[in-house]
Amino acid sequence: EEVTPLALQKVLYFIKGFSKPILKEEIFNDSAEAWVHGPVYKEIYDCFSYYKYNNINYSNILKDYDYNLTEEEKQYIKEISLLFGCYNGNVLKEMSHLTEPWLKARSGLKDDESSNRFIEDKDMDDYFKKICKKYSIKNIKDISKYSNDLFKNAIDKLNLKK
């Protein structure tokens, strides 16, 4: 229910990542850039950046918009949002930093070095296909095994930074 622009970007990353293996097609065709704080969909970032670190007020934004999504796509987005949206932006950032597509796109850059390199769609497809195989993910509900493991690894990484 409470989502900052940082969290939104990371949830979108996982929504897109699992869409091909689960829905058999991309839910949207935008590519993320590999920014310092994780994957960013620039057009969406520009729309919500004025919220800065505050929660996005969806009631004003979503009420009259027709998204042209199927019921299956709506349910998919809802489920992925529940699996990943329960974490705050900083945890989601660390979770995204553990994924191969983001790491590959950031290869050779310093941790704090700005970049607008794109995360390649093929890298996304290969990684999330591999994750689905590793975790025996056949449907949306199965993704919780992966999200739980990724969360634990992100928390361990955050604890090491302290």
Side-chain angles (χ1 to χ4, degrees), residues 10-24:
K10 307 323 162 236
V11 171
L12 286 172
Y13 177 72
F14 291 107
I15 286 172
K16 180 173 180 174
F18 281 109
S19 65
K20 265 189 162 175
I22 300 297
L23 297 175
K24 308 301 182 221

Side-chain angles (χ1 to χ4, degrees), residues 52-66:
K52 300 190 189 303
Y53 299 102
N54 300 309
N55 291 322
I56 296 169
N57 182 351
Y58 288 103
S59 60
N60 293 337
I61 298 166
L62 302 178
K63 65 180 177 186
D64 295 322
Y65 196 85
D66 177 17

Side-chain angles (χ1 to χ4, degrees), residues 35-37 97 102 106 108-114 161:
W35 287 16
V36 170
H37 297 291
H97 285 194
W102 184 83
R106 297 277 312 163
L109 297 172
K110 295 176 185 170
D111 289 349
D112 60 351
E113 188 174 348
S114 294
K161 289 181 178 181

